[in-house]
Amino acid sequence: MLANSEVEITGIVIIRFKIAGAIEATSAQFGKLDILVNNAGGGFTNLAIDVPEEEFDATLNINLKATFFAAQAAAKIMMRQGGGRIINMSSQAGFAALPTESIYCASKAAVSHLTKCLAVEWGQFNITVNAVAPTFIATPGTEEALADPAFRADTIERIAALHRVGQPVEVSGAVVFLASPAASLITGHTILIDGGWTAR
């Protein structure tokens, strides 16, 4: 029988190997790996005083740990082939304090800083590492929250310049740009796609 700490470590190792295996399989199928987009994310709504350890760990696992190990696995392939592009999904929450989302905010801030660190380490291998940080985007993941009229009105008010919820294409466009030759000299940067939320 495994102790709790051993179970946790074993789980982390399994996750890391699954990520690395998926990336290796993709590279093998297509013959190379030019671009990695780390687009997983999630979190919980809870006052900081009430956050249980399980929510803390789950949020960091999906937002930070998975991002790091996917980037690490991709970078090993990109180093061998002479370069590539890594694009991480951060959030405006990494640049603003959102009540009831302290751990999510911290994890996304960490993604933006990790992006800088990886960019500095891997630039010598012709690998660029950037991030995008969206505001609220109209997706199935935000549909329930934005269906609340009071929440939606407050959100639109906070998107200080444009006063509207974003559309997926407004995020994917930035990702395509960062993956393109036009962004070949951009690395270590997080593009805020927040309609002016953090400009206030």
Side-chain angles (χ1 to χ4, degrees):
M1 185 170 182
L2 296 174
N4 285 343
S5 60
E6 292 172 318
V7 171
E8 182 180 348
I9 290 168
T10 301
I12 292 167
V13 170
I14 290 170
I15 290 169
R16 182 159 43 92
F17 279 120
K18 283 185 176 179
I19 290 171
I23 289 173
E24 286 284 355
T26 300
S27 176
Q29 180 175 348
F30 293 100
K32 61 188 303 193
L33 182 69
D34 295 313
I35 303 160
L36 169 70
V37 180
N38 273 313
N39 193 34
F44 300 86
T45 300
N46 216 337
L47 292 170
I49 198 70
D50 296 324
V51 172
E53 186 174 356
E54 295 77 16
E55 286 187 6
F56 182 99
D57 290 345
T59 303
L60 265 66
N61 280 345
I62 190 169
N63 293 339
L64 183 59
K65 186 175 293 178
T67 294
F68 174 80
F69 284 113
Q72 182 190 68
K76 289 177 181 179
I77 296 168
M78 292 173 179
M79 287 175 186
R80 295 197 298 265
Q81 67 186 26
R85 304 290 173 85
I86 296 173
I87 302 155
N88 298 323
M89 193 60 61
S90 182
S91 169
Q92 70 173 18
F95 297 83
L98 304 180
T100 75
E101 296 188 34
S102 58
I103 309 307
Y104 180 79
C105 290
S107 69
K108 289 301 189 176
V111 168
S112 287
H113 197 73
L114 175 66
T115 295
K116 290 183 179 183
C117 295
L118 300 182
V120 169
E121 282 197 28
W122 297 342
Q124 63 183 307
F125 303 103
N126 194 33
I127 299 170
T128 65
V129 188
N130 291 290
V132 296
T135 186
F136 283 89
I137 305 298
T139 69
T142 61
E143 186 175 4
E144 183 178 349
L146 292 171
D148 179 325
F151 182 87
R152 185 179 184 88
D154 181 63
T155 298
I156 289 172
E157 171 58 26
R158 289 176 184 272
I159 300 175
L162 299 179
H163 298 291
R164 64 177 176 81
V165 172
Q167 297 299 314
V169 69
E170 294 174 301
V171 179
S172 61
V175 172
V176 170
F177 165 67
L178 289 172
S180 76
S184 59
L185 197 60
I186 300 173
T187 195
H189 186 68
T190 297
I191 297 178
L192 279 154
I193 307 171
D194 69 348
W197 184 308
T198 59
R200 205 175 256 186

